[in-house]
Amino acid sequence: DLDSKELDASKTRGYLFGGHVANYMRYMMEEDEDKYKSHFSRYIKEGVEPDHIEAMYKDAHAKIRADPSHKPAEPKPDMKTKRWNRSKMSLKQRKDRVKQKKA
């Protein structure tokens, strides 16, 4: 609570274990099914339901405690980086380009 400046352990635990996400999922299921499907499509694809979120977070926390070292994800082999600006041209390429424009 902000006014009394005391920590509410059960509320904090709820946030740490995804209770707010589960509540939002339940709310969206009741209110707007299409919006629920768009917001939580990855959860649906993985078969995660609101009742299983806490278990999912507990499992993640246990795995982190078992091995806290960071393991960077391996890049996808067929991934091509986007380039928004043109790569630099050599002097010869620039001169050829000017010749083509003049012709």
Side-chain angles (χ1 to χ4, degrees):
D1 191 17
L2 293 175
D3 297 331
S4 64
K5 297 195 179 199
E6 290 183 19
L7 179 68
D8 184 7
S10 63
K11 189 173 184 179
T12 305
R13 184 182 188 284
Y15 282 111
L16 284 174
F17 288 103
H20 60 296
V21 177
N23 290 338
Y24 187 61
M25 283 178 80
R26 287 186 195 99
Y27 171 78
M28 292 296 289
M29 285 171 117
E30 294 171 5
E31 294 298 316
D32 190 359
E33 189 72 27
D34 295 331
K35 202 170 179 182
Y36 165 75
K37 287 179 182 175
S38 68
H39 278 264
F40 296 103
S41 61
R42 297 281 296 256
Y43 283 82
I44 294 168
K45 183 180 172 186
E46 297 293 326
V48 177
E49 296 193 9
D51 299 330
H52 301 110
I53 287 185
E54 186 173 344
M56 179 182 71
Y57 274 98
K58 280 184 180 180
D59 184 45
H61 287 264
K63 287 179 182 176
I64 291 170
R65 282 189 201 99
D67 185 16
S69 62
H70 175 69
K71 296 177 186 86
E74 297 204 12
K76 296 176 184 173
D78 59 341
M79 187 102 164
K80 188 175 181 181
T81 57
K82 288 185 179 180
R83 186 165 176 102
W84 302 106
N85 52 355
R86 241 183 171 164
S87 57
K88 286 190 174 184
M89 292 190 288
S90 66
L91 179 65
K92 185 179 178 186
Q93 289 172 327
R94 289 195 307 264
K95 286 186 177 183
D96 287 342
R97 187 165 181 245
V98 170
K99 278 183 187 176
Q100 288 174 2
K101 284 192 175 191
K102 281 185 177 179

